[in-house]
Each structure stands twice: as structure tokens, then as C-alpha cells.
Amino acid sequence: MLPAPHAVEEDEPEERTAAFRPGLRSRLLLVLWPAFVTAGVLAGLVFAWIDPGSVLGLAVGEETGWSRSAVCSLAFLVFWATTSASAAITLWLVRGTRPRDRD
């Protein structure tokens, strides 16, 4: 006869949740890696329709000496910072909903 499968106790999910506490490095990776991928996709989509050379001329009202790659790099960094902030706020909100230790 095969052994019976492990019976799931009612408080087991809470124990697993309490045991999983990612460190600073893990939290940074949870925030920065998806934000990096999202910023890359967003920059690709934006500059598929908009000429990078004309973006700064619209914002400042005059022609600037920035190259197209500089505009793309700056836009990517802005997209990355924005999506990182969004992911960090989400992680902060989720961490606030976990039950606290009662010792």
C-alpha cells in the first residue's frame, strides 16, 4: 500500500508565509528586474512610433545637441525609474498585509 499523502493543516500556509521573508537583495531583484524588462518593451514601443530626434525639440521648443541614442537612453531610464517605483510601492503594500509575529 502507498503511504497517505501529506495532510494539509489549516495553519500551514501562514507558517510558509511567515517563513518566507526575502532579504534586501531579493526584494531589489523582485522590483528592478521586471521593471527593467517593462521599461525596455515600453521604450521599444514608444520609439517605434516617435522619432527620438524630435522629442526634445517638442519639449524645449528649440533644437538640442542630443543624439538619438542619448534621447533613447534617457527615456529608458525614466521608464525604468517609473516602473521601479510602481513595483516598489506594490511590494511595500503587499508586505503590509502579512500577519505580524505575535511573540
Side-chain angles (χ1 to χ4, degrees):
M1 244 174 138
L2 294 174
H6 175 66
V8 177
E9 298 176 16
E10 291 179 17
D11 60 343
E12 190 174 10
E14 289 180 20
E15 290 175 4
R16 287 184 188 171
T17 304
F20 178 69
R21 294 178 193 246
L24 178 62
R25 181 174 180 234
S26 296
R27 287 187 304 234
L28 283 174
L29 290 174
L30 282 171
V31 168
L32 293 178
W33 175 243
F36 178 83
V37 173
T38 304
V41 170
L42 186 58
L45 289 173
V46 166
F47 291 119
W49 286 294
I50 299 173
D51 179 27
S54 66
V55 171
L56 286 178
L58 294 174
V60 182
E62 59 187 42
E63 197 63 34
T64 62
W66 289 33
S67 67
R68 285 187 157 89
S69 62
V71 173
C72 289
S73 298
L74 180 65
F76 172 79
L77 291 175
V78 168
F79 295 152
W80 194 13
T82 305
T83 54
S84 294
S86 172
I89 290 169
T90 301
L91 184 63
W92 177 70
L93 290 172
V94 167
R95 289 193 66 199
T97 60
R98 287 195 300 187
R100 307 250 182 213
D101 292 339
R102 297 177 188 162
D103 288 330

